[in-house]
Amino acid sequence: MPISDLFQLALRGLTRRAVRTTLTVLGIVVAVASMVIFLSLGEGIRRVFTQELGNIGPDVQISLNGIQEGLPRTPDLPESLVAKVEQHREDWGIRSIIPVVISAKGGFDPRQSFLIYGYPTAESVLDISPGVQVTEGRLLEAADEGKLVAVLGFKAAENAGLKIGSDVRFNRRNFFKVVGILKEEGGFTDSFIFVPRSTLQKAMGVENQISFIAIKLQDPSQARTVAKQISETLDVEAQTQSDFLKVLDRAVSISDAIRFGISLIALIVGGLAVANTVMMGVFERTREFGTMRAIGAKPGFIRNLVLLESLLLAFMGGLGGILLGFLGIQVVNYYTQQLASISAAALTPRLTLLAFAVSFALGLLSGLLPARSAGRIVITEALGRN
C-alpha cells in the first residue's frame, strides 16, 4: 500500500477519537513548550554575553582567583598590583589599565537589584564602554573621586524610580547622589550603577583592595599572549573574553542539563499519554485490524499503521509545543527587556531541531509497544470480538 494511503488511514484513526487525540496532543504541547522555554534561557544568555562582551568587556581581566570563582563577594586583589602592571605597559602593548571595584546590591525585588561599578575616572568608563552617553546630567569626572555621586544606567534609574538629585542607598551610612543617567543602549550597561572607585572602596571598608584590573590593548588580537605573560610574570589569573565565554558556556550547559531534567518529567508524562491513547486505539480496533489481516494485510502493515499514528501525535504535539514555546519566549523577553534591556531567551535553530528530535523519539518509543501488540493480533480471535 502506498505511503499516502497509510498516512490517510492513520489520520482517520486519530480523528475517530477526536477528544482523546486532542487531549493527548495538548499534553505533549505543554511538555515540549516547557522544555523549549527552559532551554531557550540558556540559548539567550549565550547570545547576550557573546554580543555584549565585544562591546563592554576588557581585552584582559586580572583577578586573584580567576573567572571560575565568579565575582568576589568583597574585593580581594591588592591595589598595588596596578603599579606592577603599569611597569610593563609598553612591553605588553597596553592602552589603558583600569582598576575596578564591584559590589552587588540585591533584594527580593529584581528591580531593586543592581551591579555597582567603581571606576577611577570618567575616561575609564568610556574606554570600557565606548558607546556610553548621558541622557540627563553628566558622566563621572576625575574630581568626583571620594565623593558620594553616581551615574545610573537607564533601566537602573527607571526600575528604581530615580532621577537627577535622588539618593541611592548603599548601606546605612552611605547614600550616592545621582548626577547622571545614561542613554538607553539595550545592553548590560543599562542596569549598572557607576560610582567613583575610591568612594566605593571606602563605603565597603576595603581601602587598597580592588575586584579586578581591566586592561585594554593596542592590539586586541594579542590578548591571549598578553594574558599568559601577565600570569607568568605577576603570579595572578589573567583571562581573556574567550576564557570568560568558555566558563559561561560550561555553567550554562550544566544549568541546561538541570532544566532538561526537569522538563523530562513532563515529557515522560506526555509519552505515557501517547502510549495510552495508541494502546486504547489498538484495543478498540482489534476487530478492524483482524478484518485487515483477513483480507491480506501483513502484520508489518498493522505495526506501521499504529506506529505512524503515534508519530503523528508526537509531531503535532511537538509543532504545537514549539509554537507555544515561542510565545512563552516572547513573554520572557518582554519581562527581561523591561527589567534589564536584554532578551534573556532565544529560540535558535538547534533548539528547534532538538524539540522536533525529542518529539520524534517520544512518538517512536511510545508507539513501539502498541504497534507490537497490534502486529501480533490473531485473526480468529480478533474477528470473534464484538
Side-chain angles (χ1 to χ4, degrees), residues 111-125:
R111 294 173 297 179
Q112 300 297 322
S113 299
F114 310 108
L115 197 59
I116 303 175
Y117 271 73
Y119 285 98
T121 63
E123 287 74 23
S124 297
V125 176

Side-chain angles (χ1 to χ4, degrees), residues 73-75 101-103 170-171 199-206:
R73 295 183 179 179
T74 57
V101 178
I102 293 180
S103 177
F170 181 74
N171 54 34
T199 307
L200 185 56
Q201 286 176 308
K202 184 176 181 181
M204 297 176 67
V206 289

Side-chain angles (χ1 to χ4, degrees), residues 144-223:
D144 289 326
E145 283 293 344
K147 297 180 180 178
L148 289 167
V149 294
V151 174
L152 275 59
F154 183 84
K155 283 297 179 182
E158 182 180 72
N159 292 337
L162 299 172
K163 56 185 180 180
I164 300 297
S166 299
D167 289 329
V168 179
R169 183 179 185 274
F170 181 74
N171 54 34
R172 293 181 179 180
R173 293 177 295 178
N174 296 280
F175 293 80
F176 291 95
K177 182 76 68 177
V178 177
V179 297
I181 296 176
L182 299 179
K183 182 180 178 181
E184 187 173 13
E185 298 289 337
F188 286 147
T189 53
D190 287 347
S191 302
F192 290 167
I193 294 179
F194 301 99
V195 302
R197 175 179 55 90
S198 59
T199 307
L200 185 56
Q201 286 176 308
K202 184 176 181 181
M204 297 176 67
V206 289
E207 286 87 351
N208 303 319
Q209 300 288 333
I210 56 178
S211 299
F212 62 86
I213 301 174
I215 292 179
K216 281 286 188 179
L217 301 175
Q218 299 290 351
D219 182 5
S221 65
Q222 297 298 313

Side-chain angles (χ1 to χ4, degrees), residues 251-309:
V252 172
S253 296
I254 294 172
S255 65
D256 281 346
I258 295 173
R259 287 193 294 269
F260 182 75
I262 296 173
S263 303
L264 194 60
I265 298 173
L267 290 170
I268 291 173
V269 173
L272 292 175
V274 172
N276 178 69
T277 297
V278 177
M279 185 64 83
M280 288 295 294
V282 170
F283 178 78
E284 293 170 354
R285 296 157 64 195
T286 299
R287 186 179 180 84
E288 177 184 334
F289 290 150
T291 303
M292 289 182 180
R293 289 289 312 281
I295 62 176
K298 296 183 180 297
F301 172 81
I302 304 296
R303 284 196 297 268
N304 291 339
L305 176 61
V306 174
L307 192 59
L308 182 58
E309 291 182 5

